[in-house]
Amino acid sequence: MKKILIATGFVALIVGFFLLDLDQLLTLQAVKEGQSGFAGLRASMPLLVAGAFFALYVVVTALSLPGAAIMTLAGGALFGLATGTVLISFASSIGATLAFLTSRFLLRDSVQRRFGDRLKPINEGMQRDGAFYLFTLRLVPVFPFFLVNLLVGLTPIRTRTYYWVSQLGMLPGTLVYVNAGTQLARLDSLGGILSPGLLGSFVLLGLFPWIARFIGRVLQRRRVYARWQRPATYDRNLVVIGAGAAGLVSAYIAATVKAKVTLVEAHRMGGDCLNYGCVPSKALIRSAKLAHQIRHAYRYGLKAVVPAFSFGSVMARIQDVIRAIAPHDSVERYTRLGVDVVQGHARIVDPWTVEIARDDGGTQRLTTRSIVIATGAAPFVPPLPGLTDTGYVTSDTLWEKFANLDEVPKRLVVLGGGPIGCELAQSFARLGASVTQVEMAPRLLGHEDDEVAALVRARLEADGVRVLTAHKAVRCESGVEKVLVVEQGGVETRIEFDELLCAVGRVPRLQGFGLEELGIPTARTVVTNEYLETLYPNILAAGDVAGPYQFTHVASHQAWYASVNALFGHLRRFKVDYSVIPWTTFTDPEVARVGLSELEARERRIAYEVTRYGIDDLDRAIVDNAVDGFVKVLTVPGKDKILGVTIVGEHAGDLLAEFVLAMKQGLGLNRILGTIHTYPTLSEANKYAAGEWRRAHAPRRLLQWVGRYHAWRLK
Ligand SMILES: Cc1cc2nc3c(=O)[nH]c(=O)nc-3n(C[C@H](O)[C@H](O)[C@H](O)COP(=O)(O)OP(=O)(O)OC[C@H]3O[C@@H](n4cnc5c(N)ncnc54)[C@H](O)[C@@H]3O)c2cc1C
C-alpha cells in the first residue's frame, strides 16, 4: 500500500510537471532569456537563490525529469565555476541517490522475484565490483543519468557506495558543463559541449579504474610469489594431492591431455567415497533393505519371517563390494592411464614444489607448474564432554570396528539428522538395532522441504528409529552403562547405548600439508575463486576440501575445472558451473533433488509455481508396493521453465536424471511430456508430473471453442 501511494505521488509529480509545461522552462533558450533576471535576483538574495536552485536541482534529478544538463549550465552561468560546481555536485548526487532509493524501494523486490536466479551473476558482479561499474557509467556522460539511477537501484549495491561513487564519477562531467555554463551566451546548443576528444578522454578516465585494477592484480600476483624462488625447470605439469573422486578425475584428465602428472595418496586409493562413504553405506543400505523386505514379505504375498543373518557376513559383504570396485580407482589402473601414482603423504613446500613422505620410507621432492589440492574432508567430532571416554565411531572407523562384531549393536545412538545420519540410522534399525537418532535442529534433513523431512521421519519411525529432533546432546557419561544426555527446553533425557555413531558433518582437511606455511587462506574450506584457484593461481582445489558441496559427483565436476585451469589457465580459464547440481539421500524412500526446493525459493524470494504428482497413483509403484512419495516440480510462474525438482520415492535418485538433463539443456516440462516413457516403469512418474503441469496450463478458452466445434459437428 505504501509502495502504491509513493508510486502514485511520483507519477503525479511527473505528470504535473509536463501538464504545467514546466519542461519549457528548462530549455537552453529559456535559460538564456532569463539569465539577466536571475543574475539580478541572485545579487539581491544570494543565499536564498542558491538554496532554491539547489532544492530545485535535487527535485528535478530525484524525479528523473529532463533538464538536469540545462540546469547545470544555468548553475555555471549564475554562480560561476567554483560555487556552481560545488552546488551541482552535491545536488546531483543527492538527487541521484533519491532516484536510486525510489527505484530500489518500488521496484527492486518485484524485479528480483520476477527474474530470480537469472539476476544472480549481475547481483554478484555488483556486490563485488559495483563501485567500478558505477564509476565508469558516471564518468562517461553518454549513459543517461536517470537510467543509471533507476537500473542500479535494482541491484544490491550499498547506498553509501552509490552516493560517493556517483559524486566522484560525475565531478569531471559537472565541471565541463558548469564551465560551459559560464560562457552561456556563446552556447548555441548542448551538442557542442562535449567534443569527441573530450568524450574520448572521459571514456579513458572511465576505463582507468579497470586498468588500475588489472595492473593491481598483476602486481598482487607477483607479490604473492615474490618471497619464493621459482624453479628453473619443472619435473611435472601437475601434482595432485589426494586420490579421492576429485584427485582421481584431476589426474585422469591431466594424463588424457598428455600432461606429466603425479597423484599422491596418503591412505587408500579411492578416498572416502570408496572406502568409508558412498560405497560401504550403499552396500549396507542394500542388505538392510533386503532384511526389511523379508520381514515384510507378506506385502508381496509371501510368508514374512524374521531374517536370519550374521551381522559379520553383512559387514564382510561390504568389504567385498569395496574390493570389487577398488580396481576402478587402483594404482595399477591409473598407472596404465599414464599417471605417476605415489603412495605417501604430500606437503606443499613452495608454490611449485611438493615433498612426499613415501610409504616406502623415502622422501621425494617434485617441482611442478601447478598443484591441485584434493584432500577431502573428515568426520567432525563435536567437543561433547565425556565422548572420548564412552567411545564413538564415525564413518571413518565404523566399517572396521563393526566388522569385528558378531551381532548388530543392540542400542545404537546416531548423532546427526543429515543425509548420512538418516541413511545409517534406518539401515541399522532394519538390521535389528534399537536406534535413537538425535538432531539439534527442529527436523531431519534440514536442507529439504518440510513435507520431505516429515515423510522420511515417518518412515524412519516405522522402521523403529526413535527420532529426537530439537534435542541437543550435552554430555556422555560412562559407568555401568554408557549414556548420552540430551536436552530439550531445559529438560534432560538419558539415552543408554552400546555404540554411538557421530554423523554431525564433515570438515575439510586443511592442516598438515603446507597451507599454513604458504599463507593460503582457509575458512571452512580452502578459499578459492570461481576458477578454483587459491591465493596462488597455480595452486587449485577441488572436492570436499573446496566445498561448497560434499558429493562425489560434484568433486568430479570440480576436478575438470581445477585440472583444465591448472594446465591451461594461462591461455583460458573456466568458471566452475554450479547451476544444476543434483543429489540424493539414499533413505528408503530415496530423496532426490536438483535446483530449488520450496524452502530455498521462499528464502531467496524467487517466485515459483508447484506441480505435484503423487507416486501412489503410479501403476508400477502400486505393482512394486512402493507407493510412498511424490514428484514435486517448481517452475517459473506461467512459464515452462523448471526451477527445481524434488522426488521422494523408490529409485528417486535414478528418476531425477531426466530432470537434471532437462534443466541442464534448458528443456521444459512439455518436452518431458512429449517423450515416450516405457510402461510400466517408475520413470513414468516424471511424465505424469509434466502432465499435471500441462493440465494446469491448458488453454481453457481455446478448449471451450474446440468443444463448441465438436458439438457443431454432431449436428
Ligand atoms: C558415510 C558417507 C556416505 C556418503 N555417501 C555419498 C553418496 O551417496 N553420494 C555422494 O555423492 N557422496 C557421498 N558422500 C560424500 C563423498 O564421499 C565425498 O563427497 C567425496 O568422497 C569427496 O571426494 P574428495 O576427492 O573431495 O575427497 P576424499 O574422497 O576424501 O579424498 C581425499 C583423499 O586425500 C587424501 N589425502 C589427504 N591429505 C593428503 C596428503 N597430505 N597427502 C596425500 N593424500 C592426502 C586422503 O587420504 C583421501 O584419500 C558420502 C560420505 C560419507 C562419509
Side-chain angles (χ1 to χ4, degrees), residues 588-599:
D588 181 11
E590 293 179 1
V591 175
R593 175 133 86 84
V594 58
L596 289 181
S597 64
E598 282 194 79
L599 190 74

Side-chain angles (χ1 to χ4, degrees), residues 355-409:
E355 186 177 275
I356 309 165
R358 300 174 65 115
D359 283 358
D360 61 16
T363 302
Q364 183 178 5
R365 269 194 176 219
L366 289 172
T367 55
T368 174
R369 278 261 177 208
S370 302
I371 298 167
V372 169
I373 300 168
T375 52
F380 173 67
V381 179
L384 199 60
L387 183 61
T388 318
D389 297 333
T390 51
Y392 58 89
V393 288
T394 65
S395 56
D396 272 4
T397 54
L398 146 79
W399 312 107
E400 210 175 303
K401 180 158 185 214
F402 282 15
N404 298 323
L405 303 178
D406 295 329
E407 288 187 0
V408 67

